[in-house]
Amino acid sequence: MINPEGRGLVLDEKLLFEQSCAGRIGYSLAQLDVPDAQPDGALCRDEINGFPELSEVDVIRHYTRLSTWNYGVDSGFYPLGSCTMKYNPKVNEAAARLPGFSDIHPQTPEALNQGALELMYNLQRDLAEVSGFEAVTLQPAAGAQGEFVGMLMIRAWHEARGQKRTKVIIPDTAHGTNPASAALCGYEVITVESDGVIGKDAIAAVMDDDVAALMVTNPNTLGLFESDIREICHLIHERGGLVYSDGANFNALMGVSRPGDLGIDVMHFNLHKTFSTPHGGGGPGAGPVGVVKELLPYLPRPVVVKDADGYKLDYNRPDSIGRVQSFYGHFAVLVRAYCYILSLGGEGLKRATELAVLNANYVRARLEDEYTLPYKQRSLHEVVFSESGLANDCHTLDVAKRLIDYGFHPPTIYFPLVVYGALMIEPTETESKQMIDAFCDAMLAIAEEAKTSPEKLKMAPVRAKVKRLDEATAARKPKLRWEE
Amino acid sequence: MRYLPHTDVEVQQMLARIGVSSIDELFSGIPDDCRLQRLLALPEAKSESETLSLLKSMADRNSKLSEWDSFLGGGAYNHFIPSVVDHLVSRSEFYTAYTPYQPEISQGTLQAIFEFQTLICQLTGMDVANASMYDGASACAEAVLLAIRAGKKRRRVLLSGGLNPQYRETVRTYCQFLDIELVDVPVVDGVTDQQAASSLLDDQTAAVVIGYPNYLGQIEDIAASADKAHAAGAKLIVAVAEPLALALYKSPGELGADVVVGEGQSFGIPLSYGGPGIGFFAVKKKDMRGLPGRLVGETVDQDGKRGFVLTLATREQHIRREKATSNICSNQGMCTLMVGIYLALHGKQGLRQLAQINYAKASYARQQIAALDGYDVAFSGESFNEFVVLCPGSVAQLKKSLEAQGILAGIALGRDYQDLEHGLLVCVTEQNSREQIDRLVSALAGGGA
């Protein structure tokens, strides 16, 4: 169904600054209806050197052309492991654009924005229900910031008990944001080795009274459920620690298992993964955090609450860790996630999880005879292959680039680090069997090409806007802006 | 469900190929005692029309600025967004794409970010800007962390009392468990008390942070602050919550700032109840490698064609993990695009004209209010499109009675500034017509009666 000969019109487009023409305008400003006034000249700048001057048509064409060099979920399959590139529903976009949501100012008194506060309150409640936590904060801007908030609350909890613990245990399969977030809280990271999953004995061996917390990802970045999780949480709690869960892979659990029921104390969600809000070429996302009762006092402020008079922003939280950004969170992203939950309902969310897991296991079944599968436990929503066994010294990178020529976005590569040349494939539930079959056909064809004509992999991609780029020089001699 | 394409037949085919007889078997890796034994207690799924209907009724219970006379600022600004912006960012090749880790098929995103980085450098007068942070407040916190990392053993940071209170609180949150001493510098006549700053600066100070304009709407003396900071061996961090001001006033870079951070929401990003916005972060060449966040660089491909890639990734969490310059992974993606488009449309002339209009309207409002009995403009110095009014009586009551007349008069400052109990922060932009301003003045004159 994918036409490997199709290329479209791959138009070129210079930088904005290179097309600038003095005197061109792309704006429309109303006439001044008050007397003009001049600022203090001594404080004023010269004109902004290098700023472009373009017509509206220039700008429309510029960005339209740029968009044609991109590939989104709306273009096709996007099997990035741990990213959950599911379809971004258009009704979500319509909802976020309702003027009653987009044209409201955060400094408006709460009584005048009850609809917005109700939406946030409901979303908090729904996320808590899906995950099994007592309460949820919607403030964190992204997953990494959610992790930071979670770790701050953990540290605040310990400090409130006079505990000066200095360490955090993190498995070797963890996303890099985990140790980075722990370090931001002043913690030292103890890495523990996993064998697919983390064993309770491995945790017991490093757990002591100096460990503040364990950070887990469940299912982990290999797509495997951490089967010892209940015992591990128990172990950590017994020695006075808390357990943080990275919820990036929550798409594997909706309606099936709730982290809050397993002993997890705090977990972040990635709304731009599990809850269908768009990835936007790198953001904005949202990273709400769910907590158990013990951690309620430490939630970022303000907290959205409901009382007899309606919905309010509660700032009266003396033990709060504070705020991590202005205002209340990425409201426009929250609207999209809430719209998604309304559209699917509890049954729909569970069905989404089931089909995500079905799709990943189907990919596994179709590819495991040809690609090396390092871990044989049951996969959930994603499957990780290794590059070992690829013919003619072909690497994961080569497979990824050749997939582009076949019309697919590559999977996640070289993560997690514990797998040699990792290829992490997460199809998500919004892909049809035909699409997955086409992808698997391409993967098998590429494995064959590695044997018979490896140069096709090594020269790939040949059908994209550009060929492989010189990343080494980009790092050695950084050119990070245009200059005249 | 329209997002879930599987037919029953296909599900059976797939299960057969996998070698299991039911979907439930696929979850056999989850122990029984970890399985949820009931259905999720969520409302039943709604159709598309029901969903939109419900959300519209929620949206209708909010206060759209198009239906009010709004003079609210305080870190979020009401500016007109040209139709082009939403039209372009609605292209799904932009918003449904992922982070551009596969550069060959992400040149659209990468070039747009490279342009954004350039525009921010030009606006702020700095050498290098990153691909964005979450917002102005967190960017400010990360700037403090950068200064601490660069400051060898220095652990002290001075925060101007004129810096946006939410930015100050965010910095405190970020630094609370790190060995960093945060000291507030008092404000005098609406700007940083330079004498107090001088006496607080010492050889332990890594940085001084000042708003420009500050939260009270005033234009601070950045050059003087830079000189003082540098004399003490500290960095000057300038935080710009309303970057439209930079189209009019001297750039922080040319005045001596070492780091410039701020909030880009003014440039084409809908208010959306405060989020998402976008943080910008710019430095001089010397601090390039200490930058947090993503960076896009120019390079060539195998055929010598120009292209763009994410670069200097060794600073970032996915490579350096706990030793990274930050834990940040996402940038603000779509918001960088909105800002780039907005700035490209307005350009060199338009942005300045727009700033000029804001200045003139705010000046007009300020003069009219100053002429009212019982009201004063709090500070004598230069301000841009926000200023503080001292009101007779209770600010809270005044606001309430103006609300009843369809006016959102401004922000009460008493909670954040003890000696400004009667202070009201008023913001005037190109979105406020003369009629609206006259109505505000008239309503204030009536004492809010």
Side-chain angles (χ1 to χ4, degrees):
Chain A
M1 67 183 275
I2 308 296
N3 176 8
E5 298 308 322
R7 292 195 68 176
L9 282 167
V10 187
L11 297 160
D12 207 355
E13 179 67 13
K14 293 187 163 39
L15 295 167
L16 293 167
F17 321 96
E18 293 168 331
Q19 305 178 55
S20 178
C21 187
R24 280 227 184 102
I25 67 159
Y27 57 88
S28 154
L29 296 173
Q31 294 276 39
L32 203 52
D33 57 359
V34 298
D36 203 357
Q38 293 308 322
D40 180 350
L43 301 173
C44 289
R45 72 180 296 158
D46 297 329
E47 61 179 22
I48 308 171
N49 232 333
F51 242 49
E53 292 176 81
L54 301 160
S55 74
E56 178 169 320
V57 179
D58 291 332
V59 175
I60 284 278
R61 285 224 173 104
H62 180 81
Y63 288 96
T64 300
R65 287 181 174 197
L66 256 50
S67 77
T68 63
W69 306 339
N70 263 17
Y71 179 99
V73 173
D74 283 9
S75 314
F77 193 49
Y78 226 118
L80 285 170
S82 271
C83 296
T84 313
M85 301 296 292
K86 65 172 73 181
Y87 174 67
N88 307 133
K90 306 319 172 200
V91 63
N92 298 2
E93 297 302 308
R97 285 170 170 77
L98 289 170
F101 289 142
S102 62
D103 192 26
I104 55 178
H105 195 290
Q107 298 271 17
T108 310
E110 289 138 52
L112 298 177
N113 277 327
Q114 289 289 296
L117 291 168
E118 181 181 353
L119 188 148
M120 292 176 69
Y121 184 84
N122 289 353
L123 180 61
Q124 287 172 178
R125 176 203 62 199
D126 291 347
L127 290 175
E129 166 60 13
V130 182
S131 57
F133 288 105
E134 181 73 24
V136 171
T137 171
L138 302 175
Q139 198 186 98
Q145 205 182 52
E147 287 172 33
F148 181 46
V149 162
M151 297 311 290
L152 282 175
M153 290 195 283
I154 286 176
R155 181 143 178 185
W157 183 86
H158 280 294
E159 303 254 327
R161 280 148 190 77
Q163 295 270 317
K164 296 264 173 232
R165 300 180 177 220
T166 62
K167 306 207 205 69
V168 169
I169 302 171
I170 302 183
D172 52 4
T173 47
H175 192 274
T177 49
N178 288 188
S181 301
L184 264 179
C185 294
Y187 284 123
E188 188 196 321
V189 173
I190 310 283
T191 308
V192 78
E193 269 181 33
S194 53
D195 180 21
V197 292
I198 36 177
K200 53 183 184 284
D201 296 332
I203 299 296
V206 288
M207 183 59 193
D208 61 27
D209 295 338
D210 193 27
V211 171
L214 163 70
M215 293 179 87
V216 290
T217 306
N218 192 23
N220 63 28
T221 57
L222 294 164
L224 310 173
F225 191 83
E226 291 289 0
S227 38
D228 277 356
I229 189 70
R230 272 191 176 278
E231 287 108 318
I232 290 171
C233 287
H234 186 69
L235 216 148
I236 300 287
H237 291 152
E238 275 214 307
R239 295 298 292 270
L242 294 175
V243 183
Y244 179 88
S245 183
D246 178 329
N249 290 330
F250 193 58
N251 207 42
L253 300 182
M254 294 193 289
V256 170
S257 175
R258 302 197 317 170
D261 297 336
L262 307 179
I264 305 291
D265 298 295
V266 47
M267 182 187 97
H268 84 266
F269 302 84
N270 294 80
L271 296 188
H272 46 293
K273 297 184 181 189
T274 321
F275 293 93
S276 86
T277 75
H279 281 77
V289 174
V291 295
V292 294
K293 207 146 153 227
E294 283 275 294
L295 292 174
L296 285 180
Y298 311 104
L299 284 171
R301 67 183 149 229
V303 173
V304 181
V305 298
K306 182 176 173 182
D307 66 19
D309 302 324
Y311 299 93
K312 299 216 168 76
L313 293 165
D314 179 15
Y315 289 90
N316 185 14
R317 321 265 319 172
D319 295 324
S320 167
I321 52 164
R323 58 163 65 251
V324 288
Q325 64 161 333
S326 293
F327 307 120
Y328 323 121
H330 284 175
F331 182 72
V333 177
L334 304 178
V335 172
R336 290 171 168 89
Y338 184 61
C339 184
Y340 178 71
I341 293 173
L342 288 175
S343 305
L344 265 77
E347 276 186 47
L349 291 179
K350 182 170 183 185
R351 193 65 182 154
T353 285
E354 289 176 340
L355 295 175
V357 170
L358 176 68
N359 277 354
N361 278 277
Y362 183 70
V363 169
R364 175 176 162 159
R366 284 217 51 200
L367 297 182
E368 65 188 335
D369 290 334
E370 193 57 52
Y371 285 87
T372 307
L373 193 69
Y375 295 98
K376 307 285 193 270
Q377 295 97 318
R378 193 54 97 193
S379 300
L380 279 170
H381 67 308
E382 63 193 1
V383 56
V384 182
F385 292 101
S386 156
E387 76 173 39
S388 5
L390 271 176
N392 289 314
D393 197 37
C394 286
H395 299 286
T396 285
L397 185 71
D398 304 316
V399 173
K401 300 304 183 189
R402 187 60 178 153
L403 264 170
I404 293 172
D405 288 336
Y406 274 79
F408 297 98
H409 190 284
T412 297
I413 52 175
Y414 300 111
F415 181 77
L417 303 168
V418 296
V419 171
Y420 182 70
L423 254 165
M424 196 203 298
I425 302 170
E426 180 186 356
T428 84
E429 71 280 8
T430 55
E431 299 302 329
S432 67
K433 180 174 178 294
Q434 286 109 311
M435 183 57 84
I436 297 183
D437 277 328
F439 170 73
C440 292
D441 290 344
M443 286 289 284
L444 294 172
I446 292 169
E448 191 55 33
E449 280 180 344
K451 294 175 190 153
T452 59
S453 35
E455 67 287 349
K456 288 202 172 134
L457 277 72
K458 295 191 189 289
M459 294 311 295
V462 296
R463 295 204 177 100
K465 167 99 180 20
V466 291
K467 297 226 172 84
R468 284 199 208 187
L469 291 149
D470 184 356
E471 304 198 22
T473 307
R476 241 186 7 251
K477 300 191 201 155
K479 185 160 190 277
L480 306 171
R481 59 170 290 185
W482 171 83
E483 260 163 322
E484 216 139 6
Chain B
M1 206 281 158
R2 63 197 189 281
Y3 313 149
L4 305 175
H6 302 69
T7 65
D8 290 336
V9 168
E10 287 168 338
V11 170
Q12 292 313 312
Q13 286 171 345
M14 294 168 83
L15 289 172
R17 181 67 175 82
I18 294 167
V20 292
S21 53
S22 70
I23 285 187
D24 202 59
E25 252 188 86
L26 296 173
F27 290 95
S28 63
I30 302 182
D32 284 334
D33 65 356
C34 294
R35 294 287 299 261
L36 180 61
Q37 302 298 344
R38 60 168 176 81
L39 293 173
L40 289 172
L42 291 176
E44 230 180 279
K46 293 184 165 42
S47 71
E48 183 170 353
S49 65
E50 286 168 331
T51 300
L52 269 175
S53 195
L54 176 68
L55 290 170
K56 278 190 180 125
S57 73
M58 270 183 177
D60 285 342
R61 278 179 277 124
N62 296 327
S63 301
K64 301 191 271 282
L65 293 197
S66 61
E67 292 175 358
W68 287 76
D69 293 350
S70 172
F71 296 91
L72 297 173
Y77 299 95
N78 179 20
H79 291 294
F80 178 73
I81 302 175
S83 315
V84 166
V85 179
D86 192 50
H87 185 89
L88 287 169
V89 303
S90 297
R91 290 185 72 86
S92 66
E93 296 91 333
F94 281 133
Y95 79 87
T96 69
Y98 184 63
T99 304
Y101 289 128
Q102 296 292 350
E104 299 88 346
I105 50 178
S106 318
Q107 288 298 296
T109 296
L110 288 163
Q111 180 166 328
I113 297 176
F114 184 79
E115 291 168 343
F116 169 85
Q117 287 171 187
T118 305
L119 290 164
I120 295 296
C121 286
Q122 293 167 335
L123 201 59
T124 58
M126 305 297 278
D127 299 331
V128 186
N130 72 12
S132 75
M133 314 292 292
Y134 307 128
D135 77 329
S138 56
C140 195
E142 296 259 18
V144 166
L145 296 180
L146 179 150
I148 294 285
R149 282 194 303 272
K152 306 212 189 330
K153 300 276 190 226
R154 296 177 179 228
R155 312 301 303 180
R156 215 161 119 96
V157 174
L158 307 185
L159 304 176
S160 164
L163 181 64
N164 182 311
Q166 296 197 42
Y167 287 30
R168 270 184 283 139
E169 190 179 352
T170 301
V171 172
R172 288 194 178 280
T173 302
Y174 268 69
C175 296
Q176 67 189 289
F177 297 124
L178 301 171
D179 176 27
I180 299 174
E181 185 197 355
L182 298 170
V183 179
D184 286 320
V185 182
V187 154
V188 105
D189 199 25
V191 290
T192 309
D193 182 343
Q194 291 291 350
Q195 275 183 341
S198 287
S199 63
L200 288 167
L201 270 164
D202 62 13
D203 62 5
Q204 289 308 299
T205 311
V208 181
V209 190
I210 294 203
Y212 180 70
N214 69 18
Y215 189 68
L216 304 170
Q218 304 303 112
I219 302 298
E220 296 256 15
D221 188 346
I222 298 299
S225 306
D227 287 341
K228 287 199 167 64
H230 296 155
K235 286 198 193 301
L236 179 66
I237 298 170
V238 175
V240 184
E242 169 53 303
L244 184 59
L246 299 184
L248 205 54
Y249 295 101
K250 286 193 158 63
S251 71
E254 74 189 278
L255 295 173
D258 298 291
V259 185
V260 183
V261 294
E263 175 58 54
Q265 177 271 317
S266 284
F267 293 151
I269 300 176
L271 282 162
S272 293
Y273 208 41
I278 183 172
F280 54 85
F281 196 119
V283 296
K284 297 278 169 152
K285 271 203 185 69
K286 61 182 154 73
D287 284 317
M288 178 177 70
R289 286 177 194 274
L291 271 172
R294 296 179 176 149
L295 280 170
V296 172
E298 184 182 313
T299 186
V300 289
D301 79 348
Q302 286 169 355
D303 289 344
K305 271 174 68 179
R306 179 173 70 181
F308 301 94
V309 288
L310 288 174
T311 192
L312 295 181
T314 48
R315 297 161 303 115
E316 295 187 76
Q317 47 74 29
H318 56 295
I319 310 282
R320 291 291 294 269
R321 299 173 75 89
E322 63 265 29
K323 296 198 171 43
T325 53
S326 167
N327 73 335
I328 194 171
C329 185
S330 299
N331 63 326
Q332 289 300 79
M334 289 312 292
C335 301
T336 62
L337 198 58
M338 290 172 191
V339 170
I341 294 167
Y342 182 93
L343 292 178
L345 285 169
H346 284 83
K348 193 184 277 195
Q349 308 303 340
L351 208 66
R352 192 180 189 111
Q353 255 190 61
L354 181 64
Q356 188 62 45
I357 292 170
N358 274 248
Y359 182 84
K361 293 214 186 217
S363 284
Y364 174 73
R366 207 171 49 180
Q367 272 164 26
Q368 301 290 92
I369 293 172
L372 294 176
D373 276 333
Y375 289 87
D376 283 306
V377 168
F379 308 118
S380 53
E382 178 91 3
S383 64
F384 175 54
N385 62 5
E386 268 183 299
F387 54 93
V388 179
V389 172
L390 295 172
C391 308
S394 156
V395 172
Q397 265 172 30
L398 188 64
K399 280 180 51 164
K400 262 228 109 60
S401 73
L402 261 67
E403 258 166 53
Q405 299 173 58
I407 303 174
L408 296 169
I411 297 165
L413 288 169
R415 195 183 65 179
D416 291 314
Y417 292 89
Q418 272 145 353
D419 22 329
L420 287 175
E421 202 196 311
H422 293 277
L424 182 71
L425 182 65
V426 176
C427 178
V428 187
T429 71
E430 78 284 0
Q431 294 278 67
N432 298 110
S433 67
R434 185 189 182 128
E435 287 74 34
Q436 283 189 354
I437 300 171
D438 290 343
R439 268 203 294 275
L440 169 71
V441 174
S442 187
L444 290 174

